[in-house]
Amino acid sequence: DAGVTQSPTHLIKTRGQQVTLRCSPKSGHDTVSWYQQALGQGPQFIFQYYEEEERQRGNFPDRFSGHQFPNYSSELNVNALLLGDSALYLCASSRRDRDYEQYFGPGTRLTVT
Amino acid sequence: AQSVTQLGSHVSVSEGALVLLRCNYSSSVPPYLFWYVQYPNQGLQLLLKYTSAATLVKGINGFEAEFKKSETSFHLTKPSAHMSDAAEYFCAVYTGTASKLTFGTGTRLQVTL
């Protein structure tokens, strides 16, 4: 049973550029949440997607956007990258009826220079 | 708003000694609480969860946690530490209205010979 997968593993971008991160949920899961984990911190909730729509959003600017596809996979897009966007980006999947039980992928390490 | 506080950013124990990682929560409603473990350069793995059933929760790798409402605590314990337990541990609370996990700042567990 494949768990949550994310790509790419690592990414280096320059300030002002745009980036797209990808996530495939665990089999049987229909809900995807994205978190940002800065160095030495706990993960912070960015947003959640269900039925191809953004359902909940944390305290992140509009530069952060996402998408969910019919197969439940998801993308996280970040525009106009800032140095402060450097972090580990974690994708978590869950079943809508057990949304509290979230399973995390290995993350994408984004470095902005 | 629901939150968790982890006391001690670093804990060091000898192999075979008791592991105790502290977590206190703040919640206006009965909380769902979680412990996750993060090994270097990896995502988060769910150790155990409390969802208002038994107050003593057993998880993977010999870990357990006890929900104490009177103390608003959900401390993680393991009777005998193993070298492989060295990792970062995060306590989290689920906010149903926002469909998100709110994490503590983490505790790094070091296990020495």
Side-chain angles (χ1 to χ4, degrees), chain A residues 1 11-12 14 21 36 39 47 64 91 105 109:
Chain A
D1 177 25
L11 205 52
I12 300 175
T14 304
L21 311 181
Q36 180 196 65
L39 198 61
F47 44 51
F64 289 77
C91 169
R109 173 73 62 189

Short mmCIF file of all heavy atoms in Angstrom, two decimals, chain A residues 1 11-12 14 21 36 39 47 64 91 105 109:
data_model
loop_
_atom_site.label_atom_id
_atom_site.label_comp_id
_atom_site.label_asym_id
_atom_site.label_seq_id
_atom_site.Cartn_x
_atom_site.Cartn_y
_atom_site.Cartn_z
N ASP A 1 0.86 -1.19 0.00
CA ASP A 1 0.00 0.00 0.00
C ASP A 1 0.89 1.23 0.00
O ASP A 1 1.62 1.48 0.96
CB ASP A 1 -0.89 0.00 1.25
CG ASP A 1 -1.74 1.25 1.34
OD1 ASP A 1 -1.99 1.85 0.27
OD2 ASP A 1 -2.12 1.63 2.45
N LEU A 11 14.54 21.22 -3.96
CA LEU A 11 14.35 22.22 -5.00
C LEU A 11 15.08 23.48 -4.58
O LEU A 11 14.97 23.91 -3.42
CB LEU A 11 12.86 22.51 -5.15
CG LEU A 11 12.28 23.03 -6.46
CD1 LEU A 11 12.70 22.17 -7.63
CD2 LEU A 11 10.77 23.08 -6.36
N ILE A 12 15.80 24.08 -5.52
CA ILE A 12 16.45 25.36 -5.26
C ILE A 12 15.92 26.37 -6.25
O ILE A 12 15.96 26.14 -7.46
CB ILE A 12 17.98 25.25 -5.36
CG1 ILE A 12 18.51 24.23 -4.35
CG2 ILE A 12 18.64 26.61 -5.12
CD1 ILE A 12 20.00 23.96 -4.47
N THR A 14 15.30 30.84 -7.04
CA THR A 14 15.77 32.21 -6.81
C THR A 14 14.59 33.08 -6.39
O THR A 14 13.45 32.85 -6.83
CB THR A 14 16.43 32.76 -8.07
OG1 THR A 14 17.48 31.88 -8.47
CG2 THR A 14 17.00 34.15 -7.83
N LEU A 21 4.92 22.30 -6.28
CA LEU A 21 5.21 21.06 -5.57
C LEU A 21 4.02 20.12 -5.75
O LEU A 21 2.87 20.57 -5.83
CB LEU A 21 5.43 21.35 -4.08
CG LEU A 21 6.40 22.48 -3.74
CD1 LEU A 21 6.54 22.62 -2.22
CD2 LEU A 21 7.74 22.26 -4.38
N GLN A 36 3.73 23.94 6.02
CA GLN A 36 5.07 24.48 5.87
C GLN A 36 5.83 24.29 7.17
O GLN A 36 5.32 24.67 8.23
CB GLN A 36 5.03 25.97 5.53
CG GLN A 36 6.40 26.61 5.35
CD GLN A 36 6.33 28.13 5.39
OE1 GLN A 36 6.00 28.71 6.41
NE2 GLN A 36 6.66 28.76 4.26
N LEU A 39 12.79 25.70 9.46
CA LEU A 39 13.86 25.02 10.19
C LEU A 39 13.68 25.23 11.70
O LEU A 39 13.52 26.37 12.16
CB LEU A 39 15.21 25.56 9.74
CG LEU A 39 16.41 24.70 10.07
CD1 LEU A 39 16.30 23.34 9.41
CD2 LEU A 39 17.70 25.39 9.64
N PHE A 47 -3.17 25.10 3.72
CA PHE A 47 -4.57 24.93 3.29
C PHE A 47 -4.88 23.46 3.09
O PHE A 47 -4.00 22.60 3.15
CB PHE A 47 -4.90 25.73 2.03
CG PHE A 47 -3.89 25.68 0.91
CD1 PHE A 47 -3.39 24.48 0.43
CD2 PHE A 47 -3.44 26.85 0.34
CE1 PHE A 47 -2.48 24.44 -0.59
CE2 PHE A 47 -2.52 26.84 -0.70
CZ PHE A 47 -2.03 25.63 -1.17
N PHE A 64 0.51 31.83 -2.05
CA PHE A 64 0.39 30.38 -1.90
C PHE A 64 -0.98 29.96 -2.45
O PHE A 64 -2.02 30.43 -1.98
CB PHE A 64 0.50 29.98 -0.43
CG PHE A 64 1.88 30.14 0.14
CD1 PHE A 64 2.36 31.39 0.48
CD2 PHE A 64 2.70 29.03 0.33
CE1 PHE A 64 3.64 31.54 1.00
CE2 PHE A 64 3.97 29.17 0.85
CZ PHE A 64 4.44 30.42 1.19
N CYS A 91 3.02 17.42 2.70
CA CYS A 91 1.67 17.11 2.26
C CYS A 91 1.13 16.02 3.18
O CYS A 91 1.86 15.09 3.56
CB CYS A 91 1.72 16.61 0.82
SG CYS A 91 0.19 15.89 0.23
N GLY A 105 3.58 12.85 3.93
CA GLY A 105 4.60 12.43 2.99
C GLY A 105 5.97 12.83 3.48
O GLY A 105 6.10 13.45 4.54
N ARG A 109 11.96 19.75 0.24
CA ARG A 109 12.81 20.79 0.82
C ARG A 109 13.03 21.88 -0.22
O ARG A 109 13.66 21.66 -1.24
CB ARG A 109 14.15 20.20 1.25
CG ARG A 109 15.18 21.22 1.70
CD ARG A 109 14.87 21.79 3.06
NE ARG A 109 14.86 20.79 4.12
CZ ARG A 109 14.45 21.03 5.35
NH1 ARG A 109 14.01 22.22 5.68
NH2 ARG A 109 14.48 20.07 6.27
#
